[in-house]
Amino acid sequence: CADVRKNAIKVMDFSASSVATILKNNVLQDKDPLVVMNALLLFSQSPLDAAAEQAFFARMNKSTEVEDRWMPDAFACVLTANNGKLMKKHLQNQIKASNSKKTAMPAMDHSMHQMGGAKAAPVVKVDGIDLVVADIKIDPATPAVRERINITVEVKNQGTVDLEKENFVPLDIRFEGMGIKVDQISRNFKEGIKAGETVSITKNLNGPWVGNISVGTDVVGDYNLTVAIDKANEVKESNKNNNAFTKKISFSRPADMNAFALESALKSYANKAPADSLVSILKSIQAMEPQSKNGIVKAMAEGWNYRLKDIKLTEANKQFLASVNSGNSNERLSRLMTAWGIATEGQSNADVLRIKISTIKEAMKFSLKEFTVKPGQLVEIVFENPDAMQHNMVFTKPGMLEKVGRAGDAMMKDTKGADKNYVPAIAEVLFSTPLVNPGQNVTLKFKAPSTAADYPFVCTFPGHWSIMNGVMKVRN
C-alpha cells in the first residue's frame, strides 16, 4: 500500500540509518510519486554518503516528472540542502555536459522560410483620438510551465489628435486557458500619447499596489492573453470598435529534470547565499554554451533578494564582475550587477538611445530596416528573436555589407564557426551580438561612430546576409 510506505517514511528520523533503509528498499524507484517525493524530502534533511548521492543523481537523471507540481521542488530541496553541496556538484556536472556538446546547430533548410512575409494591413488614420493595442510582448518569449512571464502592452494612438497627459489609459487584461482564468487591471499610464505614437505599458494595479503585468501557470498548454482598452469609456475616442487584442501564449514542459531542478535550486539558493558565493558560480559557467548559461543567470537573477543593501564583495570578485559587465548584453545579469553595485541603475538612461529590434518570424528580416543616431551617441539595441532559428546582429563600416556577409558565409566551413557566433574577425566589423537562440533576446551597447555615414547592420549566420540587413544612419 503506497500510503503505508509514504507514512513509514514520514515517521523516520533524519539520519544515516534512515537513508540506508531508503536505499535498501529501493524507495527512490517506487511507482508512487508521493512515496518518492517523501523519500527525497527525507534525503534533504539527512546526512548523505557517496552511495546515497549516487542514487539521488541516478534517480534525477532518469526522472520524467517535469510536469508534476511538486516533484521538481523535491529534487531542488535535496540540491540546496547542506549549503548547496549537491547543487554545486550537479552544476559542475552540467558544465561538463554543456562543454562537451558545444557544437554548431544543424544547418536549416532556408527554403522553408518565406522570403517576403505577410504585408501589414494599411493603417487608416482616424480623426480624433484612436487607441489600439499594437502588440503584446512577453519575456521570455517561449515560456515553460512554472515560469513567470513579464508582459508589455504596446498601445498606439493611430488618430490625429494627441491624448493629453494626466489622462489614464485603462487596460483590462485576461489570461485564460486550460481551466485557468486570471484578470488584471492596469490604470497607471498617464503620460499622454501623441498622434501616431506607440507607448509601452508594463505596470498593473492590485488594490493600492503597483506591480509588473505578469502571469504564470503550472499546466502545459495554450492560453489566450486578451487586452481591452477603456471598457468604461473614460477616453473620448473616435473608434471604439478596435479596442481589443488577443495573443496566444504556449507554455511548454521543461526539457528535463536535471536543468529544471538546478534552476529551481539556484533560485532558492540565491535568495539566501552571499553575493561572493554567486560570483563563484558565475566564474564557473563562463565557458558554458549560451542557452545553459542564460538559464543559470536567469535563476540567480530571479532568486536574489533585491532589498539587500551594502553588498560586500572581495576586490578580486569586483574586478571579475567589472570585466564581465564591460561586455555584458544580458538584461538579467545587468540587474544583478546593479544590485551588487557594479553598475548604476539608469547610469546611462538620460543619454542613451534605446532601440528595440526583432527578427520577423519566417521572413528572415529585421523589424527595422533603418534607424538614425547622432555621432558619438550611446546606443542600446535590444535584439529579440521570435524566429525558429538562430540570428545575430552585426554592424559594419560604411559600404562593407557584402564583404562582411560573404565572410560570414565562409565561416560555415569553420568547425568552430558557431562558437564564434559566425561573426567574422575582420576590421570591417564594428559591433556585434552573439547568436541569439529562438525565443531569446540580447542587449548590445555601443558608442555610435563619430563620422556621419550609413553603417549597415546584418545577420551573418551563413546564407542570411543578402536579405537580412538594414542601415544605421549616423547624422548630426
Side-chain angles (χ1 to χ4, degrees):
C1 175
D3 285 338
V4 172
R5 298 195 298 278
K6 177 191 73 174
N7 288 319
I9 296 169
K10 293 178 76 169
V11 298
M12 287 181 176
D13 58 355
F14 303 125
S15 65
S17 62
S18 295
V19 171
T21 301
I22 294 292
L23 296 180
K24 180 180 178 180
N25 290 278
N26 204 26
V27 178
L28 290 179
Q29 311 301 327
D30 197 283
K31 62 183 179 181
D32 189 282
L34 281 176
V35 175
V36 178
M37 185 186 77
N38 279 279
L40 290 171
L41 294 179
L42 184 140
F43 268 39
S44 73
Q45 300 184 70
S46 304
L48 304 180
D49 59 13
E53 291 182 5
Q54 183 179 358
F56 166 75
F57 283 125
R59 178 62 178 84
M60 185 168 65
N61 191 51
K62 63 175 283 189
S63 173
T64 59
E65 302 100 341
V66 287
E67 291 184 41
D68 187 275
R69 176 59 187 90
W70 303 113
M71 195 70 81
D73 284 341
F75 281 109
C77 284
V78 183
L79 289 175
T80 54
N82 300 310
N83 196 31
K85 177 185 175 184
L86 292 191
M87 182 195 73
K88 293 169 185 175
K89 286 187 177 182
H90 185 45
L91 177 59
Q92 291 305 313
N93 291 335
Q94 293 293 92
I95 291 172
K96 291 177 183 178
S98 173
N99 291 340
S100 68
K101 67 178 182 182
K102 279 178 67 176
T103 56
M105 286 185 67
M108 296 185 67
D109 182 359
H110 299 332
S111 65
M112 297 298 290
H113 283 276
Q114 299 174 3
M115 297 304 178
K119 292 183 178 179
V123 176
V124 179
K125 284 194 174 183
V126 178
D127 290 337
I129 298 170
D130 185 21
L131 303 183
V132 297
V133 178
D135 196 9
I136 298 174
K137 294 187 175 180
I138 64 172
D139 179 33
T142 54
V145 289
R146 302 177 65 197
E147 185 169 37
R148 198 81 183 167
I149 62 172
N150 290 313
I151 298 166
T152 300
V153 181
E154 297 192 344
V155 177
K156 181 176 183 179
N157 180 2
Q158 62 182 23
T160 58
V161 176
D162 296 351
L163 176 69
E164 299 296 337
K165 290 185 177 181
E166 301 305 318
N167 289 288
F168 287 106
V169 179
L171 303 179
D172 285 81
I173 303 156
R174 171 164 289 183
F175 176 71
E176 186 172 12
M178 309 303 293
I180 296 170
K181 184 186 296 183
V182 178
D183 289 321
Q184 298 185 43
I185 294 173
S186 174
R187 197 175 185 278
N188 315 71
F189 187 88
K190 57 176 182 177
E191 303 305 313
I193 309 177
K194 295 179 180 179
E197 183 184 20
T198 301
V199 300
S200 296
I201 299 176
T202 61
K203 301 297 183 181
N204 67 5
L205 287 177
N206 181 12
W209 297 283
V210 175
N212 292 325
I213 306 173
S214 64
V215 295
T217 179
D218 296 335
V219 183
V220 172
D222 295 333
Y223 297 79
N224 285 326
L225 183 67
T226 301
V227 177
I229 302 177
D230 192 29
K231 278 188 172 182
N233 295 324
E234 298 176 44
V235 180
K236 293 181 179 179
E237 289 187 86
S238 299
N239 185 1
K240 287 288 186 181
N241 296 319
N242 57 0
N243 285 17
F245 186 99
T246 299
K247 182 183 184 74
K248 177 184 172 183
I249 304 176
S250 297
F251 281 81
S252 62
R253 68 192 300 274
D256 62 75
M257 185 66 79
N258 281 321
F260 193 27
L262 177 60
E263 285 193 24
S264 180
L266 278 167
K267 189 184 299 185
S268 176
Y269 179 77
N271 191 255
K272 299 293 185 182
D276 278 322
S277 179
L278 299 185
V279 176
S280 296
I281 293 175
L282 283 177
K283 288 179 178 179
S284 70
I285 66 173
Q286 291 305 302
M288 290 183 79
E289 52 94 14
Q291 189 168 1
S292 299
K293 182 178 175 181
N294 287 340
I296 291 170
V297 171
K298 168 177 165 287
M300 291 194 296
E302 291 181 356
W304 176 256
N305 181 1
Y306 290 91
R307 297 186 184 91
L308 296 178
K309 305 296 181 184
D310 300 322
I311 306 304
K312 305 297 183 183
L313 291 165
T314 66
E315 285 304 315
N317 281 341
K318 286 180 181 179
Q319 292 177 13
F320 166 75
L321 291 174
S323 67
V324 171
N325 190 52
S326 64
N328 174 40
S329 59
N330 185 308
E331 290 189 4
R332 290 186 173 92
L333 183 55
S334 294
R335 289 179 60 201
L336 284 175
M337 295 292 185
T338 300
W340 295 342
I342 303 301
T344 303
E345 187 173 11
Q347 60 186 9
S348 61
N349 284 353
D351 302 317
V352 168
L353 176 64
R354 198 164 189 259
I355 299 171
K356 287 187 177 182
I357 298 179
S358 67
T359 61
I360 298 177
K361 193 173 182 180
E362 297 183 353
M364 291 238 297
K365 290 184 178 180
F366 293 106
S367 60
L368 280 182
K369 189 65 178 175
E370 63 178 50
F371 62 91
T372 302
V373 302
K374 295 179 181 179
Q377 186 171 21
L378 297 174
V379 181
E380 282 187 9
I381 304 290
V382 179
F383 179 42
E384 301 176 338
N385 182 22
D387 199 12
M389 65 185 306
Q390 290 178 312
H391 296 288
N392 64 15
M393 192 174 184
V394 178
F395 289 80
T396 81
K397 291 182 178 179
M400 294 295 112
L401 169 65
E402 183 173 353
K403 181 175 180 178
V404 172
R406 293 194 181 281
D409 286 348
M411 293 184 74
M412 180 61 82
K413 300 176 182 178
D414 185 348
T415 57
K416 295 186 177 180
D419 292 340
K420 300 173 184 177
N421 295 293
Y422 292 119
V423 177
I426 56 178
E428 287 75 12
V429 172
L430 296 176
F431 323 108
S432 64
T433 73
L435 285 171
V436 181
N437 290 323
Q440 296 186 351
N441 64 73
V442 68
T443 300
L444 175 65
K445 303 176 184 179
F446 59 86
K447 186 176 182 180
S450 57
T451 303
D454 290 347
Y455 294 81
F457 59 86
V458 59
C459 174
T460 55
F461 190 104
H464 291 192
W465 70 270
S466 61
I467 58 175
M468 196 169 181
N469 57 70
V471 176
M472 176 178 69
K473 295 184 175 183
V474 177
R475 298 288 188 270
N476 289 305

